[in-house]
Amino acid sequence: MKKEKKDILKKIIPESFDENGKLKSWEKQLLEYEYNKDKIFLHPFVLDDNSNSLKFAGVSNKPIVINKTTIDKIKTKHDIDLQLLIDLDSIIKNPIFALDSKTQKTSKVFVTEKTNNSGNQIIYILREDKKLGTYKINEITSVYDKNNLQNLIDNTLNLGGKIYINPEKIEALKKLPYKLELETKVEEKENSWAKKVEKSKDRGLGR
């Protein structure tokens, strides 16, 4: 981590650094939170000091953080076990593909290789460029297993949203049971428009 970026992180998230000024591992931060319930944690936790692995989806290179309320929601509402949370820093680095969020313009949905016991893909939501004081970070706002992921893919495409493929995960993508049909969707829209034009010509409306 560059000194300038490190100094900024230490200012806005001091609890994520040890007494020697070194960024604590994600596992250590998480376990400190889990086993120090009497302690008041005022800042989010740092999952990664950069977003380089997400650049395929157009994500700006900023630190990735997660709030304690999100951690609590993941464990209770979404029934994610502690081991998955411990591995979260590595899981988020290797998503297979991403989708534009249907509800938040500043967020993207990332699909990981990880699945739960029911075979549902683990996904996470990343909010980009969130302001934290006078600085901006990228924040994980949710992690959960997604049932009917194909519906999310189809709805995203139908609404004009984009899908971003991780070039390093092409082989993993081929093994998934989902149909992205990116080229097909574009062709369908073009063909549909062409048919409309032909109908207009038949009616004497074409130029």
Side-chain angles (χ1 to χ4, degrees):
M1 189 193 317
K2 292 183 178 180
K3 186 178 184 302
E4 181 181 359
K5 182 182 290 186
K6 180 179 176 180
D7 290 341
I8 291 173
L9 268 181
K10 285 174 69 176
K11 285 181 180 179
I12 60 177
I13 312 177
E15 292 171 338
S16 291
F17 290 80
D18 62 22
E19 60 276 7
N20 297 315
K22 183 179 179 181
L23 180 65
K24 299 175 185 176
S25 69
W26 159 244
E27 180 177 354
K28 184 172 183 179
Q29 293 177 73
L30 179 63
L31 293 179
E32 284 180 352
Y33 175 62
E34 285 294 314
Y35 297 108
N36 289 278
K37 292 300 184 182
D38 293 334
K39 181 179 177 180
I40 298 175
F41 291 85
L42 301 175
H43 307 93
F45 305 100
V46 179
L47 270 163
D48 203 332
D49 62 13
N50 69 81
S51 303
N52 282 332
S53 63
L54 306 181
K55 63 182 179 180
F56 73 90
V59 175
S60 57
N61 187 20
K62 293 180 174 63
I64 300 176
V65 307
I66 187 169
N67 280 313
K68 59 181 181 179
T69 52
T70 303
I71 294 173
D72 293 339
K73 183 176 69 173
I74 289 170
K75 293 190 301 177
T76 55
K77 183 178 179 181
H78 299 306
D79 194 28
I80 298 294
D81 61 36
L82 182 59
Q83 187 56 53
L84 190 144
L85 271 174
I86 289 174
D87 297 335
L88 190 58
D89 59 331
S90 60
I91 291 173
I92 66 170
K93 281 185 178 180
N94 295 294
I96 302 175
F97 64 95
L99 310 90
D100 286 332
S101 171
K102 296 189 299 179
T103 56
Q104 299 292 333
K105 290 183 179 180
T106 58
S107 296
K108 287 186 175 75
V109 181
F110 288 85
V111 179
T112 76
E113 289 187 80
K114 192 76 174 178
T115 58
N116 67 355
N117 294 332
S118 300
N120 295 331
Q121 224 74 30
I122 301 296
I123 70 173
Y124 66 89
I125 315 299
L126 183 85
R127 180 179 176 184
E128 301 179 67
D129 296 329
K130 179 183 177 180
K131 292 196 72 174
L132 188 62
T134 57
Y135 303 99
K136 289 183 179 180
I137 46 83
N138 295 324
E139 180 191 359
I140 300 289
T141 57
S142 190
V143 180
Y144 57 97
D145 65 291
K146 179 62 179 175
N147 191 21
N148 295 323
L149 180 57
Q150 186 65 57
N151 289 344
L152 177 62
I153 294 170
D154 294 341
N155 290 337
T156 299
L157 290 173
N158 289 334
L159 291 172
K162 293 182 180 179
I163 293 182
Y164 310 83
I165 307 298
N166 186 344
E168 297 182 4
K169 293 293 180 178
I170 299 299
E171 292 305 314
L173 179 63
K174 291 178 180 178
K175 296 177 183 178
L176 295 182
Y178 311 114
K179 295 180 180 180
L180 301 186
E181 298 181 352
L182 302 181
E183 295 181 0
T184 303
K185 290 290 182 181
V186 173
E187 289 173 1
E188 285 177 354
K189 288 182 179 179
E190 289 177 349
N191 290 338
S192 176
W193 174 249
K195 288 177 182 178
K196 289 179 181 179
V197 172
E198 286 300 320
K199 286 183 180 179
S200 296
K201 287 181 179 179
D202 292 341
R203 294 172 183 170
L205 300 176
R207 293 186 179 180

